[in-house]
Amino acid sequence: MAEEEETELSDDQKKGIAKWFLVNAPAGEIQYVSRDLKLVLNNDDVYNEAASEAFPVYNKCHLISLKMPGGFGDVLVTSYGELQDNEYLDPKTAQVAIVDHVKQACTKVRPATDEELPSAYVEEYRCALEAEILKYVAEAYPKGSCSVYCTNGKDVEEPGSDFDLVVVIAAARLSPQNFCNGSWRTIWNIEFKDDIQKLELNGKLKVGAHYFEEGNVQLDTKHECRDSTMFQSPDDTAISVANLIRRHETAYMASLEESYFKLSDNTFKDLRRKLPITRTLFPWRSTRQFSLKREISEELGIGK
């Protein structure tokens, strides 16, 4: 039987494949992937289309932090602060950053308009919560960034109506020279329910790590949790919410540590191949030395 002739991929197919590789690049590695893809595609038009669509998705998914010109500090690139395609609000400074997604750089800033900012009533709660979260992040994630956004009810002027805030925390430790990159991302949706004087919290935690020294090992784990607290004054509410976030994130890190501590007794021994290709026995009794949790903590600066 004659061999089937290989069919040349269309430009749309090539763009789709390129986008997949870009969007799924590990934390901090999209620029390396894009450089190689550009060489493989050998077609600037296809690459530019793929990059223009993939980079914004990647940047917002990984909650990258970019330095703003003019000494305004850093801005988180997240859908919660997105005003237009390339404009992102930084609530801490009330500035709007204009971002070049492909270059992963902030090109300029402008002051936010009154319409883009919450009312004074909502801002009091947002600002108090952000102050507490900044303290927590400084202690737990020395390499981390955070912001608090109003996602619903930003025009509420006084008690009697509901509004929502979102806490975004992102920490990344990129060390490609040591063949290791990692990220920690958490998003906390907080519903302020005035009628029942209660706050509902919904947290989504994501941890990713990539080790590629003489191999390719990736960690991609997710966790969701819920909690609630009383609707109080801005300062008391902020302290209560920050304590809940601290408790849940600390508990999740502890659960990761416990899971990977048990790898030697469970997952490693369930490997199908008892002997590697080298025919060398795996050191089962010393597998406890491979603590991914410890490596992640060290790379992200957690707990220091």
Side-chain angles (χ1 to χ4, degrees), residues 121-171:
Y121 172 70
V122 174
E123 178 65 12
E124 189 175 7
Y125 279 90
R126 192 209 66 79
C127 195
L129 178 56
E130 187 170 67
E132 291 298 322
I133 296 299
L134 282 168
K135 294 177 187 177
Y136 163 60
V137 170
E139 296 170 3
Y141 313 105
K143 302 290 183 179
S145 301
C146 66
S147 282
V148 179
Y149 303 90
C150 179
T151 56
N152 183 46
K154 71 182 184 71
D155 296 325
V156 172
E157 297 285 354
E158 59 186 16
S161 299
D162 300 343
F163 60 94
D164 298 343
L165 297 181
V166 172
V167 174
V168 178
I169 299 173

Side-chain angles (χ1 to χ4, degrees), residues 12 104 151 167 186 196 222 233 277 302:
D12 285 341
Q104 293 186 314
T151 56
V167 174
T186 56
I196 58 176
K222 302 176 182 178
S233 67
I277 296 176
I302 296 173

Side-chain angles (χ1 to χ4, degrees), residues 73-144:
D74 296 339
V75 60
L76 280 175
V77 177
T78 167
S79 58
Y80 300 105
E82 187 174 20
L83 301 176
Q84 298 182 28
D85 289 342
N86 299 316
E87 294 190 346
Y88 295 87
L89 174 67
D90 177 45
K92 291 189 293 293
T93 59
Q95 298 292 315
V96 175
I98 290 81
V99 171
D100 184 323
H101 279 288
V102 176
K103 293 182 179 179
Q104 293 186 314
C106 177
T107 56
K108 58 182 179 179
V109 296
R110 67 167 176 82
T113 64
D114 291 340
E115 291 74 19
E116 293 167 338
L117 298 173
S119 66
Y121 172 70
V122 174
E123 178 65 12
E124 189 175 7
Y125 279 90
R126 192 209 66 79
C127 195
L129 178 56
E130 187 170 67
E132 291 298 322
I133 296 299
L134 282 168
K135 294 177 187 177
Y136 163 60
V137 170
E139 296 170 3
Y141 313 105
K143 302 290 183 179

Side-chain angles (χ1 to χ4, degrees), residues 37-278:
L37 274 175
K38 194 169 185 179
L39 293 175
V40 171
L41 288 171
N42 194 28
N43 186 321
D44 287 345
D45 291 337
V46 172
Y47 168 78
N48 289 335
E49 286 186 29
S52 65
E53 295 177 18
F55 268 86
V57 175
Y58 178 91
N59 292 340
K60 287 182 284 187
C61 176
H62 285 267
L63 307 175
I64 68 168
S65 178
L66 301 176
K67 187 173 292 296
M68 292 185 288
F72 287 107
D74 296 339
V75 60
L76 280 175
V77 177
T78 167
S79 58
Y80 300 105
E82 187 174 20
L83 301 176
Q84 298 182 28
D85 289 342
N86 299 316
E87 294 190 346
Y88 295 87
L89 174 67
D90 177 45
K92 291 189 293 293
T93 59
Q95 298 292 315
V96 175
I98 290 81
V99 171
D100 184 323
H101 279 288
V102 176
K103 293 182 179 179
Q104 293 186 314
C106 177
T107 56
K108 58 182 179 179
V109 296
R110 67 167 176 82
T113 64
D114 291 340
E115 291 74 19
E116 293 167 338
L117 298 173
S119 66
Y121 172 70
V122 174
E123 178 65 12
E124 189 175 7
Y125 279 90
R126 192 209 66 79
C127 195
L129 178 56
E130 187 170 67
E132 291 298 322
I133 296 299
L134 282 168
K135 294 177 187 177
Y136 163 60
V137 170
E139 296 170 3
Y141 313 105
K143 302 290 183 179
S145 301
C146 66
S147 282
V148 179
Y149 303 90
C150 179
T151 56
N152 183 46
K154 71 182 184 71
D155 296 325
V156 172
E157 297 285 354
E158 59 186 16
S161 299
D162 300 343
F163 60 94
D164 298 343
L165 297 181
V166 172
V167 174
V168 178
I169 299 173
R173 187 69 176 269
L174 309 178
S175 186
Q177 69 276 15
N178 293 316
F179 309 100
C180 176
N181 295 312
S183 68
W184 172 282
R185 292 162 284 164
T186 56
I187 296 174
W188 291 89
N189 289 278
I190 308 165
E191 299 179 32
F192 287 71
K193 299 183 177 181
D194 187 89
D195 55 341
I196 58 176
Q197 289 294 290
K198 190 176 182 181
L199 274 65
E200 297 285 349
L201 284 76
N202 181 11
K204 295 182 179 180
L205 295 74
K206 296 181 180 180
V207 179
H210 185 206
Y211 302 85
F212 48 99
E213 184 174 12
E214 298 182 357
N216 185 2
V217 178
Q218 293 196 48
L219 166 72
D220 186 9
T221 180
K222 302 176 182 178
H223 176 68
E224 293 191 18
C225 50
R226 294 178 178 273
D227 214 322
S228 62
T229 187
M230 296 300 297
F231 198 143
Q232 306 171 76
S233 67
D235 290 340
D236 290 339
T237 296
I239 293 172
S240 179
V241 170
N243 286 338
L244 288 175
I245 291 175
R246 181 193 302 270
R247 188 181 74 192
H248 281 286
E249 295 194 357
T250 301
Y252 184 50
M253 283 303 300
S255 70
L256 286 178
E257 180 179 13
E258 181 179 1
S259 297
Y260 296 123
F261 186 73
K262 294 178 179 178
L263 281 177
S264 59
D265 293 328
N266 299 313
T267 308
F268 285 157
K269 289 188 178 180
D270 288 337
L271 293 175
R272 183 176 181 182
R273 184 188 291 275
K274 301 304 179 183
L275 282 177
I277 296 176
T278 59

Side-chain angles (χ1 to χ4, degrees), residues 1-6:
M1 183 180 292
E3 294 184 1
E4 296 183 3
E5 294 185 1
E6 293 186 1

